[in-house]
Amino acid sequence: MRQIKALFKDNAELLALSGQADSLTASQTIWNTIVPDALKPHTQAGNVKHKRLTVYANNGAVAAKIKLLLPSLLTKLQKQGIEITSIRVEVQVQSTVRLKPKKQRLVSPTGVQCLSELAKKLGDSPLGEVLARLSNRT
């Protein structure tokens, strides 16, 4: 771990990036101490700029709940000695692709018989092989 930090110190761009990562980690740690447990998995602390903390919520319902709790959250932050005068809440929807489950299509017994007969007639051709595989779906 020390070797990585040594690399960051040698490069100005990496040093700035490391400082920003440390700042975000500190913001998230403090946020986790003040936010209710039910909201922790649905929120993430962002940057602190101009005494404003940006908080990202997974959906609108969580954002609304945080906005209702803003006065108490600000008070808790100020009691910890952090100079924050406002909290900005943004909705940042997680992009998860929901794949539709494939419908299992079955071939009727009559269809299986017809396909296997046609596959035998076609022999070792590519179409014959595909029809033989299809006829095995029962």
Side-chain angles (χ1 to χ4, degrees):
M1 189 63 144
R2 291 181 186 180
Q3 294 173 351
I4 294 174
K5 289 187 178 185
L7 287 173
F8 283 4
K9 289 180 182 177
D10 293 341
N11 188 331
E13 292 173 353
L14 291 177
L15 186 62
L17 183 63
S18 175
Q20 187 176 8
D22 291 341
S23 173
L24 287 172
T25 302
S27 297
Q28 186 66 42
T29 303
I30 293 168
W31 178 252
N32 284 340
T33 61
I34 65 162
V35 71
D37 290 336
L39 297 177
K40 279 182 190 178
H42 306 289
T43 60
Q44 184 176 1
N47 288 333
V48 177
K49 289 185 181 177
H50 307 293
K51 297 184 180 182
R52 176 192 293 170
L53 172 66
T54 303
V55 175
Y56 300 99
N58 287 355
N59 57 49
V62 173
K65 183 65 175 177
I66 292 171
K67 287 181 182 180
L68 289 173
L69 298 173
L70 277 181
S72 65
L73 293 173
L74 272 172
T75 304
K76 289 178 183 178
L77 284 170
Q78 291 168 349
K79 284 183 181 177
Q80 290 192 1
I82 298 170
E83 295 183 30
I84 293 178
T85 57
S86 65
I87 297 174
R88 180 180 178 188
V89 182
E90 290 186 12
V91 176
Q92 186 169 14
V93 178
Q94 301 294 324
S95 59
T96 55
V97 178
R98 294 183 183 159
L99 298 175
K100 294 180 181 178
K102 287 187 174 181
K103 293 181 181 179
Q104 184 64 28
R105 296 182 179 151
L106 301 176
V107 181
S108 68
T110 307
V112 169
Q113 183 181 1
C114 292
L115 287 173
S116 61
E117 288 174 9
L118 183 57
K120 287 177 187 176
K121 288 180 185 176
L122 293 174
D124 289 337
S125 69
L127 182 58
E129 292 173 7
V130 171
L131 291 175
R133 281 194 313 245
L134 186 59
S135 67
N136 290 331
R137 284 192 192 178
T138 56

